[in-house]
Coordinates of all heavy atoms in Angstrom, one line a residue:
M1 N 0.8 -1.2 0.0 CA 0.0 0.0 0.0 C 0.9 1.2 0.0 O 1.8 1.3 0.8 CB -0.9 0.0 1.2 CG -1.7 1.2 1.4 SD -2.8 1.1 2.9 CE -4.3 1.5 2.2
A2 N 0.6 2.2 -0.9 CA 1.4 3.4 -1.0 C 0.8 4.4 -0.1 O -0.4 4.6 0.0 CB 1.5 3.9 -2.4
R3 N 1.7 5.2 0.6 CA 1.3 6.3 1.4 C 1.6 7.5 0.6 O 2.7 7.8 0.1 CB 2.2 6.2 2.7 CG 1.9 7.3 3.6 CD 2.8 7.2 4.9 NE 2.7 8.4 5.6 CZ 3.4 8.6 6.7 NH1 4.3 7.7 7.1 NH2 3.3 9.8 7.3
K4 N 0.6 8.4 0.5 CA 0.8 9.6 -0.2 C 0.6 10.8 0.7 O -0.4 10.9 1.4 CB -0.3 9.7 -1.4 CG -0.1 10.9 -2.3 CD -1.0 10.9 -3.4 CE -0.8 12.1 -4.3 NZ -1.7 12.1 -5.4
I5 N 1.5 11.7 0.6 CA 1.4 13.0 1.3 C 1.6 14.1 0.3 O 2.6 14.1 -0.5 CB 2.5 13.1 2.4 CG1 2.3 12.0 3.5 CG2 2.5 14.5 3.1 CD1 3.4 11.9 4.5
S6 N 0.8 15.1 0.3 CA 0.9 16.1 -0.7 C 1.2 17.5 0.0 O 0.5 17.9 0.9 CB -0.4 16.2 -1.5 OG -1.5 16.4 -0.7
N7 N 2.3 18.1 -0.5 CA 2.7 19.4 -0.1 C 2.6 19.8 1.4 O 1.9 20.7 1.8 CB 1.9 20.4 -0.9 CG 2.2 20.4 -2.3 OD1 3.3 20.1 -2.7 ND2 1.2 20.6 -3.2
P8 N 3.3 19.0 2.2 CA 3.4 19.5 3.6 C 4.2 20.8 3.7 O 5.3 20.9 3.3 CB 4.1 18.3 4.4 CG 4.8 17.6 3.3 CD 4.1 17.8 2.0
I9 N 3.6 21.8 4.3 CA 4.2 23.1 4.5 C 4.1 23.5 6.0 O 3.0 23.3 6.5 CB 3.6 24.2 3.6 CG1 3.7 23.8 2.1 CG2 4.2 25.5 3.9 CD1 3.0 24.7 1.2
T10 N 5.1 24.0 6.5 CA 5.0 24.5 7.9 C 5.9 25.8 8.0 O 6.9 25.9 7.4 CB 5.5 23.5 8.9 OG1 5.2 24.0 10.2 CG2 6.9 23.1 8.8
N11 N 5.5 26.6 8.9 CA 6.2 27.8 9.2 C 6.7 27.8 10.6 O 5.9 27.4 11.5 CB 5.4 29.1 9.0 CG 5.1 29.3 7.5 OD1 6.0 29.3 6.7 ND2 3.8 29.6 7.2
N12 N 7.9 28.0 10.9 CA 8.4 28.0 12.3 C 9.5 29.1 12.4 O 9.7 29.9 11.5 CB 8.9 26.7 12.7 CG 10.1 26.2 11.8 OD1 10.8 27.0 11.3 ND2 10.2 24.9 11.6
D13 N 10.2 29.1 13.5 CA 11.2 30.2 13.7 C 12.4 30.1 12.7 O 13.1 31.0 12.6 CB 11.8 30.0 15.2 CG 10.7 30.3 16.2 OD1 9.7 30.9 15.9 OD2 10.9 29.8 17.4
Y14 N 12.5 29.0 12.1 CA 13.6 28.8 11.2 C 13.3 29.1 9.7 O 14.1 28.9 8.8 CB 14.2 27.3 11.3 CG 14.6 27.0 12.7 CD1 13.8 26.2 13.5 CD2 15.8 27.6 13.2 CE1 14.2 26.0 14.8 CE2 16.2 27.3 14.5 CZ 15.4 26.5 15.3 OH 15.8 26.2 16.6
G15 N 12.0 29.4 9.4 CA 11.6 29.7 8.1 C 10.5 28.7 7.6 O 9.9 28.0 8.4
T16 N 10.3 28.6 6.3 CA 9.3 27.8 5.8 C 9.9 26.5 5.3 O 10.9 26.5 4.6 CB 8.6 28.5 4.6 OG1 8.0 29.7 5.1 CG2 7.5 27.6 4.0
I17 N 9.3 25.3 5.6 CA 9.8 24.0 5.1 C 8.7 23.5 4.2 O 7.5 23.5 4.5 CB 10.0 23.1 6.3 CG1 11.1 23.6 7.2 CG2 10.3 21.7 5.8 CD1 11.2 22.8 8.5
K18 N 9.1 23.2 3.0 CA 8.1 22.8 2.0 C 8.7 21.5 1.2 O 9.9 21.5 0.9 CB 7.9 23.9 1.0 CG 6.9 23.6 -0.1 CD 6.6 24.8 -1.0 CE 5.6 24.5 -2.0 NZ 5.3 25.6 -2.9
Q19 N 7.8 20.6 1.0 CA 8.2 19.4 0.3 C 7.1 19.1 -0.7 O 5.9 19.1 -0.4 CB 8.4 18.2 1.3 CG 8.7 16.9 0.6 CD 8.9 15.8 1.6 OE1 10.1 15.7 2.0 NE2 7.9 15.1 2.1
G20 N 7.4 18.7 -1.9 CA 6.5 18.3 -2.9 C 5.8 16.9 -2.6 O 6.2 16.2 -1.7
A21 N 4.8 16.6 -3.3 CA 4.0 15.4 -3.1 C 4.9 14.2 -3.4 O 5.8 14.2 -4.3 CB 2.8 15.4 -3.9
Y22 N 4.6 13.0 -2.8 CA 5.4 11.8 -3.1 C 4.5 10.6 -2.7 O 3.6 10.7 -1.9 CB 6.7 11.7 -2.3 CG 6.6 11.6 -0.8 CD1 6.5 10.3 -0.2 CD2 6.6 12.7 0.0 CE1 6.4 10.2 1.1 CE2 6.5 12.5 1.4 CZ 6.4 11.3 1.9 OH 6.3 11.2 3.3
A23 N 4.8 9.5 -3.3 CA 4.2 8.2 -2.9 C 5.2 7.3 -2.4 O 6.3 7.2 -3.0 CB 3.5 7.6 -4.1
L24 N 5.0 6.6 -1.3 CA 5.9 5.7 -0.7 C 5.5 4.3 -0.8 O 4.5 3.9 -0.2 CB 6.1 6.1 0.8 CG 7.1 5.3 1.6 CD1 8.5 5.5 1.1 CD2 7.0 5.7 3.1
P25 N 6.1 3.5 -1.7 CA 5.6 2.2 -2.0 C 6.1 1.2 -0.9 O 7.2 1.4 -0.4 CB 6.2 1.8 -3.3 CG 7.4 2.6 -3.4 CD 7.1 3.9 -2.7
N26 N 5.3 0.2 -0.6 CA 5.7 -0.9 0.2 C 5.3 -2.2 -0.5 O 4.3 -2.2 -1.2 CB 5.0 -0.8 1.6 CG 5.4 0.3 2.4 OD1 6.6 0.6 2.5 ND2 4.5 1.0 3.0
L27 N 6.1 -3.2 -0.4 CA 5.8 -4.5 -1.1 C 5.6 -5.6 -0.1 O 6.1 -5.6 1.0 CB 7.0 -4.9 -1.9 CG 7.5 -3.8 -2.9 CD1 8.8 -4.2 -3.5 CD2 6.4 -3.6 -4.0
I28 N 4.7 -6.6 -0.5 CA 4.5 -7.7 0.4 C 4.3 -9.0 -0.5 O 3.7 -8.9 -1.6 CB 3.2 -7.5 1.3 CG1 3.0 -8.7 2.2 CG2 2.0 -7.4 0.4 CD1 1.9 -8.5 3.3
A29 N 4.9 -10.1 -0.1 CA 4.7 -11.3 -0.8 C 4.7 -12.4 0.3 O 5.3 -12.4 1.3 CB 5.9 -11.6 -1.7
S30 N 3.9 -13.5 0.0 CA 3.8 -14.6 0.9 C 4.0 -15.9 0.2 O 3.6 -16.0 -1.0 CB 2.5 -14.6 1.8 OG 1.4 -14.7 0.9
Y31 N 4.5 -16.9 0.8 CA 4.7 -18.2 0.2 C 4.2 -19.3 1.2 O 4.7 -19.3 2.4 CB 6.2 -18.4 -0.1 CG 6.5 -19.7 -0.7 CD1 6.1 -20.0 -2.0 CD2 7.1 -20.7 0.0 CE1 6.3 -21.3 -2.6 CE2 7.4 -22.0 -0.6 CZ 7.0 -22.2 -1.9 OH 7.2 -23.4 -2.5
K32 N 3.3 -20.1 0.8 CA 2.9 -21.2 1.6 C 3.7 -22.5 1.2 O 3.5 -23.0 0.1 CB 1.4 -21.4 1.4 CG 0.8 -22.5 2.3 CD -0.7 -22.5 2.1 CE -1.3 -23.6 3.0 NZ -2.8 -23.7 2.9
L33 N 4.5 -22.9 2.1 CA 5.4 -24.0 1.9 C 4.6 -25.3 1.9 O 4.8 -26.2 1.0 CB 6.5 -24.1 3.0 CG 7.6 -25.1 2.8 CD1 8.4 -24.8 1.5 CD2 8.5 -25.0 4.0
N34 N 3.7 -25.5 2.8 CA 2.7 -26.6 2.8 C 1.6 -26.2 3.7 O 1.4 -25.1 4.0 CB 3.5 -27.9 3.3 CG 4.1 -27.7 4.7 OD1 3.6 -27.1 5.6 ND2 5.3 -28.3 4.8
D35 N 0.8 -27.2 4.1 CA -0.4 -26.9 5.0 C -0.1 -26.4 6.4 O -0.9 -25.8 7.1 CB -1.3 -28.1 5.1 CG -2.0 -28.4 3.8 OD1 -2.2 -27.5 3.0 OD2 -2.5 -29.6 3.7
H36 N 1.2 -26.5 6.7 CA 1.6 -26.2 8.1 C 2.6 -25.1 8.2 O 2.8 -24.5 9.3 CB 2.2 -27.4 8.8 CG 1.2 -28.6 8.8 ND1 0.0 -28.5 9.6 CD2 1.2 -29.7 8.2 CE1 -0.6 -29.7 9.4 NE2 0.0 -30.4 8.5
A37 N 3.3 -24.7 7.1 CA 4.3 -23.7 7.2 C 4.2 -22.6 6.1 O 3.8 -23.0 5.0 CB 5.7 -24.3 7.1
S38 N 4.4 -21.4 6.5 CA 4.4 -20.3 5.5 C 5.4 -19.2 5.8 O 5.8 -19.1 7.0 CB 3.0 -19.7 5.4 OG 2.6 -19.1 6.6
F39 N 5.7 -18.4 4.8 CA 6.6 -17.3 5.0 C 6.0 -16.0 4.4 O 5.2 -16.1 3.5 CB 7.9 -17.6 4.2 CG 8.7 -18.7 4.7 CD1 8.6 -20.0 4.2 CD2 9.6 -18.5 5.8 CE1 9.3 -21.0 4.7 CE2 10.3 -19.6 6.3 CZ 10.2 -20.9 5.7
Q40 N 6.3 -14.9 5.0 CA 5.8 -13.6 4.5 C 7.0 -12.7 4.4 O 7.8 -12.6 5.4 CB 4.7 -13.1 5.4 CG 4.2 -11.7 4.9 CD 3.0 -11.3 5.7 OE1 2.1 -12.1 6.1 NE2 3.0 -10.0 6.0
F41 N 7.1 -12.0 3.3 CA 8.2 -11.0 3.1 C 7.6 -9.6 2.9 O 6.7 -9.5 2.1 CB 9.0 -11.4 1.8 CG 9.5 -12.8 1.9 CD1 8.8 -13.8 1.3 CD2 10.8 -13.0 2.4 CE1 9.3 -15.1 1.4 CE2 11.3 -14.3 2.4 CZ 10.5 -15.4 1.9
N42 N 8.0 -8.7 3.7 CA 7.6 -7.3 3.6 C 8.8 -6.4 3.3 O 9.8 -6.4 4.0 CB 7.0 -6.8 4.9 CG 5.8 -7.6 5.4 OD1 5.0 -8.1 4.5 ND2 5.6 -7.7 6.6
G43 N 8.6 -5.6 2.2 CA 9.7 -4.6 1.8 C 9.1 -3.2 2.0 O 8.1 -2.9 1.4
N44 N 9.8 -2.4 2.8 CA 9.3 -1.0 3.0 C 10.3 -0.1 2.3 O 11.5 -0.2 2.5 CB 9.2 -0.7 4.5 CG 8.2 -1.6 5.1 OD1 7.1 -1.8 4.6 ND2 8.6 -2.3 6.2
N45 N 9.8 0.9 1.7 CA 10.6 2.0 1.0 C 11.7 1.4 0.1 O 12.8 1.6 0.3 CB 11.2 2.9 2.0 CG 11.8 4.2 1.4 OD1 11.6 4.4 0.2 ND2 12.6 4.9 2.1
P46 N 11.3 0.5 -0.9 CA 12.3 -0.2 -1.7 C 13.1 0.8 -2.5 O 14.2 0.4 -3.0 CB 11.5 -1.1 -2.6 CG 10.1 -0.5 -2.6 CD 9.9 0.1 -1.3
T47 N 12.7 2.0 -2.8 CA 13.4 2.9 -3.6 C 14.5 3.6 -2.7 O 15.4 4.3 -3.2 CB 12.5 4.0 -4.2 OG1 11.8 4.7 -3.1 CG2 11.5 3.4 -5.1
N48 N 14.4 3.4 -1.4 CA 15.4 4.0 -0.4 C 15.5 5.5 -0.6 O 16.6 6.1 -0.4 CB 16.7 3.3 -0.5 CG 17.5 3.5 0.7 OD1 17.0 3.6 1.8 ND2 18.8 3.5 0.6
K49 N 14.4 6.2 -0.9 CA 14.5 7.7 -1.0 C 14.2 8.3 0.4 O 13.6 7.7 1.2 CB 13.4 8.1 -2.0 CG 13.6 7.6 -3.4 CD 14.0 8.6 -4.3 CE 14.2 8.0 -5.7 NZ 14.3 9.0 -6.7
K50 N 14.7 9.5 0.6 CA 14.6 10.2 1.8 C 13.4 11.2 1.7 O 13.5 12.1 0.9 CB 15.9 10.9 2.2 CG 15.9 11.4 3.6 CD 17.3 12.0 3.9 CE 17.4 12.4 5.4 NZ 18.7 12.9 5.7
Y51 N 12.4 11.0 2.5 CA 11.2 11.9 2.4 C 10.9 12.3 3.8 O 11.1 11.6 4.8 CB 10.0 11.1 1.9 CG 10.1 10.6 0.5 CD1 10.2 9.2 0.3 CD2 10.0 11.4 -0.6 CE1 10.3 8.7 -1.0 CE2 10.1 11.0 -1.8 CZ 10.2 9.6 -2.1 OH 10.3 9.1 -3.3
L52 N 10.5 13.6 3.9 CA 10.0 14.1 5.2 C 8.7 13.5 5.6 O 7.7 13.7 4.8 CB 10.0 15.6 5.1 CG 9.8 16.4 6.4 CD1 10.9 16.2 7.4 CD2 9.7 17.9 6.1
A53 N 8.6 12.8 6.7 CA 7.3 12.2 7.0 C 6.5 13.0 7.9 O 5.3 12.9 7.9 CB 7.6 10.8 7.7
G54 N 7.1 13.9 8.7 CA 6.3 14.8 9.5 C 7.1 15.8 10.2 O 8.4 15.7 10.3
L55 N 6.5 16.8 10.8 CA 7.1 17.9 11.5 C 6.4 18.0 12.9 O 5.2 18.0 12.9 CB 7.0 19.2 10.8 CG 7.8 19.2 9.5 CD1 7.4 20.5 8.7 CD2 9.3 19.2 9.7
Y56 N 7.2 18.0 13.9 CA 6.5 18.1 15.2 C 7.5 18.8 16.2 O 8.7 18.4 16.3 CB 6.2 16.7 15.8 CG 5.6 16.7 17.1 CD1 4.3 17.1 17.3 CD2 6.3 16.3 18.3 CE1 3.7 17.1 18.5 CE2 5.7 16.2 19.5 CZ 4.4 16.7 19.6 OH 3.7 16.7 20.8
Q57 N 7.0 19.9 16.8 CA 7.8 20.7 17.7 C 9.2 21.0 17.1 O 10.3 20.7 17.7 CB 8.0 19.9 19.0 CG 6.7 19.8 19.8 CD 6.8 19.1 21.1 OE1 7.9 18.6 21.5 NE2 5.8 19.2 21.9
R58 N 9.2 21.6 15.9 CA 10.4 22.1 15.3 C 11.4 21.0 14.9 O 12.6 21.2 14.7 CB 11.1 23.1 16.1 CG 10.3 24.3 16.4 CD 11.1 25.3 17.2 NE 10.2 26.4 17.6 CZ 10.5 27.3 18.6 NH1 11.7 27.2 19.2 NH2 9.7 28.2 18.9
Q59 N 11.0 19.7 14.8 CA 11.8 18.6 14.4 C 11.2 18.0 13.2 O 10.0 17.7 13.1 CB 12.0 17.6 15.5 CG 12.7 18.1 16.7 CD 12.9 17.1 17.8 OE1 12.5 16.0 17.6 NE2 13.6 17.4 18.9
G60 N 12.0 17.6 12.2 CA 11.6 16.9 11.0 C 11.8 15.4 11.2 O 12.8 15.0 11.8
Y61 N 10.9 14.6 10.8 CA 11.0 13.2 10.9 C 10.9 12.6 9.5 O 10.1 12.9 8.7 CB 9.8 12.6 11.7 CG 9.9 13.0 13.2 CD1 9.2 14.1 13.6 CD2 10.7 12.3 14.1 CE1 9.3 14.6 14.9 CE2 10.8 12.8 15.4 CZ 10.1 13.9 15.8 OH 10.2 14.3 17.1
Y62 N 11.9 11.7 9.2 CA 12.0 11.1 7.8 C 11.5 9.7 7.9 O 11.5 9.0 8.9 CB 13.4 11.2 7.4 CG 13.9 12.5 7.1 CD1 14.6 13.3 8.0 CD2 13.7 13.2 5.9 CE1 15.1 14.5 7.8 CE2 14.1 14.4 5.6 CZ 14.8 15.1 6.6 OH 15.3 16.4 6.3
V63 N 11.0 9.2 6.7 CA 10.6 7.9 6.6 C 11.8 7.0 6.8 O 12.9 7.3 6.5 CB 9.9 7.6 5.2 CG1 8.6 8.4 5.1 CG2 10.8 7.8 4.1
P64 N 11.6 5.8 7.3 CA 12.8 4.9 7.5 C 13.4 4.5 6.2 O 12.7 4.4 5.2 CB 12.1 3.6 8.2 CG 10.8 4.1 8.7 CD 10.4 5.2 7.9
P65 N 14.7 4.1 6.2 CA 15.3 3.7 5.0 C 14.8 2.3 4.5 O 14.0 1.7 5.3 CB 16.8 3.5 5.4 CG 16.8 3.4 6.8 CD 15.6 4.1 7.3
A66 N 15.2 1.9 3.3 CA 14.7 0.6 2.8 C 15.0 -0.5 3.8 O 16.1 -0.6 4.4 CB 15.4 0.3 1.5
N67 N 14.0 -1.4 4.0 CA 14.2 -2.5 4.9 C 13.4 -3.7 4.4 O 12.4 -3.5 3.7 CB 14.0 -2.2 6.3 CG 12.5 -1.7 6.6 OD1 11.6 -2.5 6.5 ND2 12.4 -0.4 6.8
L68 N 13.8 -4.9 4.8 CA 13.1 -6.1 4.5 C 12.8 -6.9 5.8 O 13.6 -7.0 6.7 CB 14.0 -7.0 3.6 CG 13.4 -8.4 3.2 CD1 12.1 -8.2 2.4 CD2 14.4 -9.2 2.5
R69 N 11.6 -7.4 5.9 CA 11.1 -8.1 7.1 C 10.6 -9.5 6.6 O 9.9 -9.5 5.7 CB 10.0 -7.3 7.8 CG 9.5 -8.0 9.0 CD 8.4 -7.1 9.6 NE 7.7 -8.0 10.5 CZ 6.9 -7.5 11.5 NH1 6.8 -6.2 11.6 NH2 6.2 -8.3 12.3
V70 N 11.1 -10.5 7.3 CA 10.7 -11.9 6.9 C 10.0 -12.5 8.2 O 10.6 -12.4 9.3 CB 11.9 -12.7 6.5 CG1 11.4 -14.1 6.2 CG2 12.6 -12.1 5.3
Q71 N 8.9 -13.1 8.0 CA 8.1 -13.7 9.1 C 7.8 -15.1 8.7 O 7.3 -15.3 7.5 CB 6.9 -12.9 9.4 CG 6.1 -13.5 10.5 CD 4.9 -12.6 10.9 OE1 5.0 -11.4 10.9 NE2 3.7 -13.3 11.2
S72 N 7.9 -16.1 9.6 CA 7.6 -17.4 9.3 C 6.5 -17.9 10.3 O 6.5 -17.4 11.4 CB 8.8 -18.3 9.3 OG 9.4 -18.2 10.5
S73 N 5.7 -18.8 9.9 CA 4.7 -19.4 10.8 C 4.5 -20.9 10.6 O 4.6 -21.4 9.5 CB 3.4 -18.6 10.7 OG 2.8 -18.8 9.4
L74 N 4.3 -21.5 11.7 CA 4.0 -23.0 11.7 C 2.7 -23.2 12.4 O 2.4 -22.7 13.4 CB 5.1 -23.7 12.5 CG 6.5 -23.6 12.0 CD1 7.5 -24.1 13.1 CD2 6.7 -24.3 10.7
N75 N 1.8 -24.0 11.7 CA 0.5 -24.3 12.2 C 0.2 -25.8 12.2 O 0.5 -26.5 11.3 CB -0.6 -23.6 11.4 CG -0.4 -22.1 11.4 OD1 -0.4 -21.5 12.4 ND2 -0.3 -21.6 10.2
T76 N -0.3 -26.3 13.3 CA -0.8 -27.7 13.4 C -2.2 -27.7 14.0 O -2.7 -26.6 14.3 CB 0.1 -28.6 14.2 OG1 0.0 -28.2 15.6 CG2 1.5 -28.5 13.8
D77 N -2.8 -28.8 14.1 CA -4.2 -28.9 14.7 C -4.1 -28.5 16.2 O -5.2 -28.0 16.7 CB -4.8 -30.3 14.5 CG -5.0 -30.6 13.1 OD1 -5.2 -29.7 12.3 OD2 -5.0 -31.8 12.8
S78 N -3.0 -28.7 16.8 CA -3.0 -28.4 18.3 C -2.3 -27.1 18.7 O -2.5 -26.6 19.8 CB -2.3 -29.6 19.0 OG -1.0 -29.7 18.5
F79 N -1.5 -26.5 17.8 CA -0.9 -25.2 18.2 C -0.5 -24.4 16.9 O -0.4 -24.9 15.8 CB 0.3 -25.4 19.0 CG 1.5 -25.9 18.3 CD1 2.5 -25.0 17.8 CD2 1.7 -27.3 18.0 CE1 3.6 -25.5 17.1 CE2 2.8 -27.7 17.3 CZ 3.7 -26.8 16.9
S80 N -0.3 -23.1 17.1 CA 0.2 -22.2 16.1 C 1.5 -21.5 16.7 O 1.5 -21.1 17.8 CB -0.8 -21.2 15.7 OG -1.9 -21.8 15.1
L81 N 2.4 -21.3 15.8 CA 3.7 -20.6 16.2 C 4.0 -19.6 15.2 O 4.2 -20.0 14.0 CB 4.8 -21.7 16.4 CG 6.2 -21.1 16.7 CD1 6.2 -20.4 18.1 CD2 7.2 -22.2 16.7
I82 N 4.2 -18.4 15.5 CA 4.6 -17.4 14.6 C 6.0 -16.9 15.1 O 6.2 -16.4 16.2 CB 3.7 -16.2 14.6 CG1 2.3 -16.6 14.0 CG2 4.3 -15.1 13.7 CD1 1.3 -15.6 14.0
L83 N 7.0 -17.2 14.3 CA 8.4 -16.8 14.7 C 8.6 -15.3 14.4 O 8.1 -14.7 13.5 CB 9.4 -17.7 13.9 CG 9.2 -19.2 14.0 CD1 10.1 -19.9 13.1 CD2 9.4 -19.6 15.5
P84 N 9.4 -14.7 15.3 CA 9.7 -13.3 15.2 C 10.3 -12.9 13.8 O 11.0 -13.7 13.2 CB 10.7 -13.0 16.3 CG 10.8 -14.2 17.1 CD 10.2 -15.3 16.4
A85 N 9.9 -11.7 13.3 CA 10.5 -11.2 12.1 C 11.9 -10.7 12.3 O 12.2 -10.4 13.4 CB 9.6 -10.1 11.6
F86 N 12.7 -10.8 11.3 CA 14.0 -10.3 11.4 C 14.3 -9.5 10.2 O 13.6 -9.4 9.2 CB 15.1 -11.4 11.6 CG 15.0 -12.4 10.5 CD1 15.8 -12.3 9.4 CD2 14.2 -13.5 10.6 CE1 15.8 -13.3 8.4 CE2 14.2 -14.5 9.7 CZ 14.9 -14.4 8.5

């Protein structure tokens, strides 16, 4: 799902901060190994561009750099286990 922010502008003691519109893509893919095991891959900001995500109390916050998250899960009739993402 892409996140879209259009023309955030703020005025503060340091002047005007302005940024044009941008779309931030995120990717997701999953693979079911069998009836009991599956994997999910999440890619955030695959273009690794630096965008201003917000301004709060005179500080600018940028979107995180490109990253990949992998999650695995095991399921049986008696229990489910979701292993931590890395």
Side-chain angles (χ1 to χ4, degrees):
M1 176 181 229
R3 178 179 168 187
K4 184 176 181 182
I5 297 176
S6 57
N7 293 327
I9 300 173
T10 186
N11 292 310
N12 59 31
D13 296 340
Y14 302 105
T16 300
I17 299 171
K18 183 176 181 179
Q19 175 175 270
Y22 68 89
L24 181 62
N26 293 318
L27 305 173
I28 186 171
S30 62
Y31 179 73
K32 185 174 181 181
L33 189 60
N34 56 39
D35 288 340
H36 304 289
S38 63
F39 296 94
Q40 181 174 318
F41 305 90
N42 299 328
N44 298 312
N45 190 12
T47 58
N48 202 29
K49 301 253 180 164
K50 190 174 184 178
Y51 299 107
L52 188 62
L55 296 169
Y56 181 70
Q57 294 183 351
R58 300 181 186 167
Q59 294 181 359
Y61 295 93
Y62 292 94
V63 296
N67 60 73
L68 176 66
R69 179 178 163 163
V70 179
Q71 179 176 323
S72 57
S73 62
L74 300 170
N75 299 307
T76 67
D77 294 334
S78 58
F79 75 95
S80 294
L81 174 66
I82 298 176
L83 302 174
F86 56 91

